[in-house]
Amino acid sequence: MIKALQRQLIGSLFLIVAPLSTAADWPRSLFNPQPAEGDVIFPMPCGGAMVFRKILIPNQGPLNDYGIVVGGEDADYAYAEHLRPAHIAGSFDQDAKTRYYLIGKYEVNRAQYAALGSQCQPPAEDQRLPQNNLTWLEAMVFADRYSQWLLKNAVDKLPKDGQQSGFLRLPTEVEWEFATRGGLAVPLARFRERVYPMDDEMVRYVWFEGAESANGKPQPIGALKPNPAGLHDVLGNVDEMVFDLYRLNRLDRLHGQPGGFVVRGGNYFTPQAEIRSAQRIEVPFYVKGEPRRAETTGFRLVMTVPVESSREKLRSLRESWNRLGSVAAPEVPSTPVEAIAAKGLEDPVAELGVISDAAQDLNMKHRLRNVQNRLKVTIQERDDQRKLAAKAALRLGAFLCQKMGTDGKWVDAAETLLRQREAAFGIDDPGVRSRRDRLQADRAALTENLLYYAETILGAAAIYDGQVLGEQFEVLKTELTLKNYQSLLGYADTYYRQLAAYRGKPAVRQRAWLDECKALNKK
């Protein structure tokens, strides 16, 4: 099969010759029928263009990535789509705390595919249809030809990481699914839903089977509403080829046997009830001895960059790798007892390395190295879980601070109103007594919630060290910003400052904490 693919690749390279001359610019409807803020547009031959969207991801360092859960909960498709953990990281720096990769806003259409063919064609509206009926390798060749054209004709417009410019390819399954579900634009609680959040009926977002939707044929790109990440037609219309080979699901991981390639998202023959973000279908590379083509299959591209993009990046990667699975240095001791204990702390991973180096027996040396590696993995998994838990604690603290602020302001207003009614009607008035009873219940609820709020501060201070809390606070701020939860940023900052102050001086200041949360509530 590999040799056959190589022959097809070589043949395709001779068949597809990108013209360097350009015709008149295309009408916008041909390449970006629904312009939006944040669109990233790259030129194409023949006066054309292709539009991409940034998929943002929090950045904590060269070897840190963002954990997500992919797949679905449909029992009938569990062998292929069962929930499993995955990780994703961006290719380019957005800022110091955020990275991104680029994914096509629309499926590659016929005009764009033809622009990298043998000759330019006059723009026409029927060329807005997604390019279908091509092989997986032809899609890859298209990405290669377009990458080469951009690097020769528009390299100044490409994003860079270190010394490397971006290039195009098919998306991986995780890149495709993360973007399809809406990425960080979707609240975590809704990320794993069957389809991305829709403010209208599905027919306004997805071309599926039936006369009320696609009516048995592909539709022009960008005619329907986008998903939360600004992507059109990621579900329905034509299913989309991805880079990965198909593998079965083994509960928490993919099975070891690779097969054909994968298509995602469903197409115009998929029933509405079957549309789902987790759908992944295996497709053979060959059918009846010929490369597989289908009218229902198309593709979109991603732009990424090599991982080892510069010598500086490689040095940083090596340093980050050496820190993986190691025991973090203890914080500066704050008491004599802690200082004495700190002297006895050693890194067990490093200690195992010393012992294995000193071992004379080769078999024992290998066994000790295996133990060391397993210990590093275990420690790293523990640290990753600890970071996620710390971020969850900070997020909970932000929500609790917001609720405390709202409830506290409500109680203050109720107390003021009660004093006014007592002055006007007397303390024995039935209406006054009723309000007094409600206020008493509200005060009790606020006191109980304030106690729970204080317990979260004391608990987080006891469990997590300052470095982990600081790192995860920065990640949380990035997430809240990217998810358009800016209203929570002040509460998150207040909770973190209260927590840091308590860690420095363990004094429970419930009333002061409540007043600080109330001060943020403007209503």
Side-chain angles (χ1 to χ4, degrees):
M1 181 176 125
I2 298 298
K3 291 184 177 180
L5 287 173
Q6 290 174 336
R7 289 196 297 270
Q8 186 182 348
L9 173 60
I10 293 171
S12 300
L13 288 172
F14 283 108
L15 289 172
I16 299 179
V17 180
L20 295 180
S21 60
T22 59
D25 290 342
W26 291 353
R28 192 178 65 189
S29 62
L30 197 58
F31 67 93
N32 195 15
Q34 293 197 43
E37 183 179 356
D39 287 347
V40 179
I41 303 176
F42 297 118
M44 295 192 76
C46 302
M50 187 175 292
V51 188
F52 292 78
R53 300 288 297 180
K54 290 182 178 180
I55 305 300
L56 302 174
I57 301 163
N59 173 39
Q60 286 184 277
L63 274 184
N64 286 321
D65 46 21
Y66 189 71
I68 59 174
V69 175
V70 297
E73 300 182 31
D74 294 81
D76 291 342
Y77 308 105
Y79 64 92
E81 302 171 8
H82 187 71
L83 296 172
R84 64 180 177 87
H87 293 81
I88 192 165
S91 296
F92 309 101
D93 285 331
Q94 172 79 358
D95 51 46
K97 301 176 183 177
T98 314
R99 287 172 68 80
Y100 68 90
Y101 63 96
L102 292 167
I103 188 168
K105 180 177 179 178
Y106 310 98
E107 294 162 332
V108 174
N109 66 22
R110 295 180 181 179
Q112 291 165 331
Y113 194 79
L116 284 157
S118 59
Q119 58 184 0
C120 296
Q121 299 180 7
E125 278 302 304
D126 64 351
Q127 291 180 299
R128 276 184 59 190
L129 292 171
Q131 179 64 49
N132 54 5
N133 200 32
L134 72 164
T135 70
W136 180 88
L137 197 59
E138 286 169 344
M140 290 290 290
V141 168
F142 174 83
D144 171 62
R145 297 297 295 175
Y146 189 16
S147 294
Q148 291 191 48
W149 188 90
L150 285 170
L151 290 168
K152 293 176 182 176
N153 297 277
V155 68
D156 59 316
K157 295 180 171 61
L158 299 178
K160 293 180 173 60
D161 184 64
Q163 300 164 358
Q164 297 285 344
S165 298
F167 68 93
L168 296 162
R169 56 166 169 77
L170 292 177
T172 66
E173 287 203 71
V174 174
E175 289 169 340
W176 185 94
E177 188 166 333
F178 184 69
T180 293
R181 292 182 179 275
L184 293 180
V186 173
L188 184 63
R190 304 196 65 183
F191 183 81
R192 284 163 52 177
E193 291 182 355
R194 187 177 177 86
V195 297
Y196 57 79
M198 300 178 183
D199 296 331
D200 206 339
E201 297 177 321
M202 185 182 289
V203 71
R204 307 297 182 190
Y205 294 85
V206 181
W207 294 113
F208 50 82
E209 179 189 53
E212 77 277 19
S213 184
N215 200 26
K217 56 185 179 181
Q219 301 295 322
I221 63 164
L224 301 180
K225 292 183 176 182
N227 80 341
L231 307 180
H232 293 262
D233 306 319
V234 281
L235 299 179
N237 209 18
V238 291
D239 44 39
E240 300 179 11
M241 293 181 278
V242 295
F243 188 82
D244 308 66
L245 299 179
Y246 179 84
R247 293 189 287 163
L248 296 171
N249 188 283
R250 279 273 302 175
L251 292 180
D252 63 340
R253 63 176 176 84
L254 294 178
H255 184 260
Q257 179 186 351
F261 64 91
V262 181
V263 296
R264 302 293 306 257
N267 57 58
Y268 55 86
F269 282 134
T270 303
Q272 181 177 359
E274 295 296 314
I275 293 291
R276 58 192 186 279
S277 300
Q279 186 184 67
R280 54 191 302 268
I281 296 174
E282 180 182 22
V283 175
F285 283 95
Y286 301 96
V287 176
K288 296 181 179 179
E290 297 292 330
R292 186 265 190 187
R293 304 173 187 272
E295 298 289 337
T296 56
T297 299
F299 68 105
R300 74 180 69 218
L301 299 177
V302 297
M303 179 170 286
T304 59
V305 74
V307 173
E308 298 179 11
S309 55
S310 66
R311 290 184 178 179
E312 293 75 15
K313 180 70 173 291
L314 182 57
R315 185 183 306 112
S316 178
L317 287 169
R318 286 172 174 165
E319 292 173 353
S320 297
W321 165 257
N322 290 332
R323 289 194 297 269
L324 286 178
S326 61
V327 177
E331 294 185 323
V332 177
S334 57
T335 68
V337 173
E338 291 179 355
I340 293 171
K343 293 180 180 179
L345 290 177
E346 294 181 350
D347 185 343
V349 175
E351 186 69 14
L352 274 173
V354 172
I355 296 172
S356 64
D357 289 341
Q360 299 298 315
D361 182 78
L362 187 58
N363 181 53
M364 180 59 69
K365 186 185 293 288
H366 289 325
R367 291 175 65 183
L368 287 169
R369 282 295 183 188
N370 288 336
V371 172
Q372 183 191 34
N373 290 334
R374 287 198 296 270
L375 181 59
K376 288 186 68 171
V377 171
T378 300
I379 292 173
Q380 188 60 48
E381 289 176 347
R382 179 209 63 185
D383 289 346
D384 289 343
Q385 291 298 320
R386 189 177 183 83
K387 291 176 181 178
L388 290 175
K391 184 176 66 175
L394 292 168
R395 185 188 294 112
L396 173 62
F399 280 107
L400 288 175
C401 185
Q402 182 185 48
K403 178 171 176 54
M404 296 288 297
T406 302
D407 292 350
K409 296 284 283 188
W410 170 266
V411 168
D412 290 348
E415 287 178 341
T416 300
L417 185 58
L418 176 62
R419 299 287 85 82
Q420 293 172 349
R421 292 190 67 87
E422 284 178 342
F425 301 102
I427 60 175
D428 294 327
D429 177 75
V432 170
R433 288 200 303 267
S434 176
R435 287 177 179 273
R436 189 183 299 117
D437 291 341
R438 289 200 301 271
L439 177 59
Q440 185 177 0
D442 290 342
R443 281 200 196 108
L446 179 61
T447 299
E448 184 176 349
N449 290 338
L450 181 57
L451 179 61
Y452 178 67
Y453 183 77
E455 288 178 351
T456 66
I457 290 180
L458 271 63
I463 295 172
Y464 308 109
D465 62 51
Q467 180 178 346
V468 169
L469 289 170
E471 290 175 352
Q472 295 310 304
F473 175 59
E474 294 300 323
V475 176
L476 178 62
K477 287 197 300 183
T478 301
E479 286 187 4
L480 292 176
T481 301
L482 296 178
K483 292 177 182 291
N484 294 319
Y485 287 165
Q486 285 90 342
S487 60
L488 275 174
L489 285 172
Y491 296 101
D493 182 70
T494 296
Y495 180 79
Y496 176 70
R497 285 190 293 102
Q498 293 170 349
L499 174 56
Y502 176 82
R503 294 189 75 257
K505 184 179 180 180
V508 179
R509 303 167 53 247
Q510 293 189 50
R511 176 53 57 180
W513 293 340
L514 174 60
D515 290 342
E516 290 170 355
C517 292
K518 286 195 301 183
L520 294 170
N521 192 283
K522 305 302 182 183
K523 296 183 180 179

